[in-house]
Amino acid sequence: QVRSDIKDYLRNFDNGIFIGRAQFDYHITPKKNHHFMASAGILEEMFSGYGFEYLYFKQDINYAFGFELFNTKKRDYRMRFGTLEYQNIVGHVNFYYRNYKGIPFDAKISYGEYLAGDEGVTLDLSRSFANGTKFGVFASFTDVSSEEFGEGSFDKGLTIKAPITWFTGKKSRSYAIATIFSN
């Protein structure tokens, strides 16, 4: 179970303090256009771990590429610092493209291994606005069968990132992020 036990996490929201995310990142650019980031901590609501990312990016072009590798461990249902037995090493090769003409948009194509151990490709399209708002859609196609996971190799969703100023009226660098999955 990678995400199908979400109800076990949601049942604990009323039981005191829980930690959604707590992550340390260290960025370094040892050579022009070559960027590295090491991360460790509670990477998301259901997984913690550590890993690194590499990105090749030049300011004057509209594409970039890189890879990431993370050792992840499933968090316990109380959503604090404990973990469960499930663990997996995940990694992806990524290609990024930014379109500046017509309707500006960002695209990301990733290939690699996901949390459940399946391999595949994810296509992510998004549009960002000057006020910090971002809307996006994604679709993943993997080698998992429909017997193992609902629709099988196909998963999709919608992402919305909105500045907190939408809710408070004050300037802020904080965001409210919602990702909606559809199976």
Side-chain angles (χ1 to χ4, degrees), residues 26-143:
Y26 177 72
H27 302 261
I28 186 170
T29 303
K31 187 176 177 185
K32 187 176 181 180
N33 305 322
H34 297 272
H35 311 278
F36 288 91
M37 181 176 75
S39 301
I42 299 172
L43 304 175
E44 59 154 274
E45 289 77 8
M46 294 185 196
F47 284 87
S48 59
Y50 59 90
F52 71 96
E53 298 181 49
Y54 165 76
L55 180 70
Y56 177 81
F57 172 68
K58 289 175 69 171
Q59 290 282 346
D60 55 344
I61 58 176
N62 61 347
Y63 66 89
F65 58 88
F67 63 90
E68 59 195 55
L69 188 65
F70 282 84
N71 185 1
T72 60
K73 192 153 189 180
K74 191 160 180 83
R75 295 179 61 197
D76 72 7
Y77 300 127
R78 291 180 35 184
M79 296 178 66
R80 294 192 185 136
F81 295 104
T83 59
L84 302 173
E85 286 186 33
Y86 185 79
Q87 183 173 343
N88 192 18
I89 295 175
V90 298
H92 286 87
V93 175
N94 305 309
F95 177 79
Y96 304 87
Y97 173 78
R98 175 165 279 172
N99 182 53
Y100 293 103
K101 299 175 184 172
I103 299 174
F105 67 90
D106 293 325
K108 177 184 175 186
I109 299 172
S110 297
Y111 172 78
E113 183 173 325
Y114 297 87
L115 289 168
D118 50 335
E119 291 182 18
V121 175
T122 297
L123 173 61
D124 187 330
L125 298 171
S126 63
R127 173 116 191 250
S128 298
F129 297 88
N131 69 356
T133 304
K134 181 177 180 178
F135 296 98
V137 294
F138 67 89
S140 295
F141 305 90
T142 71
D143 61 359

